[in-house]
Amino acid sequence: MDKFVIRGGNPLVGTVRVSGAKNSALACMAAPILTADEVILENIPQVRDIETERRLLAAMGAEVELGYGRAQHRAKINCGPLTKPVAEYEIVKTMRASALVLGPLVARMGWARVSMPGGCAIGARPIDQHIKGLEKMGVTIAQEHGYLDARTDRLKGAHIVFDVITVTGTEDLLMAATLAEGETVMENCAREPEITDLVALLTAMGAKIEGAGTSTIRVRGVSKLHGAKHRINPDRIEAGTLMAAGAITRGDLIVSNCNPAHLGAPIAKLEEMGARVDRLGHDSVRVRADGALRAADVSTEEYPGFPTDMQGQFMALATQAEGVSLVKENIFENRFMHVQELVRMGANIKIDSNNSARVLGPAKLSAAAVMCSDLRASASLVLAALVADGESILDRVYHMDRGYERIEEKLRGVGAQIRRMGNIFAAREEAMISG
Ligand code: EPU
């Protein structure tokens, strides 16, 4: 299993480029199921979750080509030959975003058999909103042997009000509605940039959608969608993580190829903590932190609020800030897995309840052997290790590889001392690079 060895102490200086958004790409890779034509996606990040989705689609009979090169990262997806609308447990268990194929499969094929995703490290993560919405659209869903069996003669437009705001739930039903008969109105939708990215692709494929990026989305169903080409947004969470890395190391970092408009809450928080953030043109930000950092409270919310996917990284930053920072996690019920590892590195963090913690800083962090428990917890530990005294060893970095493209190379390029031990994942990927 790969490990990162990180020696802390170097300020990050220079320019680092952000990859395409993993969570946009995962939704956009499910959209081609809705058509028999080819869909081309550009700016696909080279991360493990994307490879998992390629396997998921390929197992159904789709042709998927992932090509990574210096100039572009591209996926060519042709779901024309898709004949087996089944998402097997073996693949679904490794990636919860697999639930995203349920809506498009039943819309195009009339039936689907999709394994129920299990719980995961950060919470139970039910998919009841996906099921309830599809049932309203005329899908009969039976649950047996851990699988959902979904069938319909023809999807019908419906009025759906989400009980909770869900990102992939909004995406799943949105995709299904594009091929439904009549109009679907969805209320209490997620407003994340990943939704607008998906809607841009669906619109290019011929879908009729209004209101993306607001909490009410209207979809006028069409009988057929066609092929399209689409460029994925930059990854706002990777960008936020890199900005936090610049601040925690008291560096001077330019984060390029990002969309600052998607980073309002993290930028405001960095500024509140005393970092200086300058927007450079429309796609770069410069982060500088030379003085003391100040404590700030963070409360995670749906977009445009502070993202849950940045909570761990901000907690690492808060360990270096003067005063008490209150951190509240409102989206997932078990997303403090990084805390015990940060504490082992010398952080002063008290968990008040399962969704709120108090960080007292600044703490002198000392390098330690720590364990990554999920994707964003890994990012939190990388940040802590970048300022810890000595050499930290991060185990289970395969979690990090799910969502950050060659992060060690990017960080090394701006002065971090980080290396990977046992580069199994990269070796496997070299084998599948196709131009
Ligand atoms: N929820 C339900 N029922 C549902 C769906 C969700 O109760 O049917 C609850 C969840 O349990 C959770 C809340 O609603 O408490 C929000 O969950 P949501 O469905 O929005 O999360 P998701 O769509 O499964 C996506 C991202 C996550 C990100 C969340 C929140 C993808 C593939 N994943 O998950 O990304 O944290 O939205 O923004 O888009 C990550 O990248 O590290 C990651 C976990």
Side-chain angles (χ1 to χ4, degrees), residues 213-240:
T214 75
S215 55
T216 303
I217 300 181
R218 287 171 190 276
V219 185
R220 218 158 10 97
V222 295
S223 56
K224 210 168 171 240
L225 293 179
H226 51 73
K229 189 168 167 181
H230 173 72
R231 188 171 175 80
I232 305 289
N233 273 332
D235 196 307
R236 63 194 170 97
I237 305 300
E238 187 199 357

Side-chain angles (χ1 to χ4, degrees), residues 22-23 26 97 122 125-130 164-168 308-309 331-332 335 375-376:
K22 172 197 65 117
N23 288 345
L26 289 173
I122 62 175
R125 303 181 77 181
I127 56 164
D128 57 302
Q129 298 302 304
H130 302 232
V164 291
I165 299 178
T166 155
V167 177
T168 50
T308 172
D309 292 346
I331 308 295
F332 292 110
R335 214 174 196 185
L375 171 56
R376 307 303 171 186

Side-chain angles (χ1 to χ4, degrees), residues 70-90:
R70 203 170 275 278
Q72 52 194 349
H73 284 30
R74 177 198 278 252
K76 256 197 229 173
I77 304 176
N78 186 344
C79 291
L82 193 151
T83 47
K84 192 181 161 218
V86 179
E88 301 281 1
Y89 175 68
E90 277 314 304

Side-chain angles (χ1 to χ4, degrees), residues 356-414:
S356 113
R358 258 176 307 148
V359 187
L360 176 62
K364 191 166 162 35
L365 298 184
S366 68
V370 289
M371 192 79 85
C372 302
S373 54
D374 70 73
L375 171 56
R376 307 303 171 186
S378 324
S380 167
L381 298 179
V382 167
L383 295 188
L386 287 175
V387 288
D389 186 22
E391 199 167 78
S392 296
I393 298 180
L394 274 64
D395 203 352
R396 301 198 179 164
V397 297
Y398 60 84
H399 287 294
M400 191 91 184
D401 292 330
R402 288 188 51 195
Y404 289 90
E405 177 173 335
R406 301 189 184 276
I407 190 71
E408 73 279 22
E409 287 172 24
K410 292 190 185 189
L411 291 173
R412 218 168 27 236
V414 287

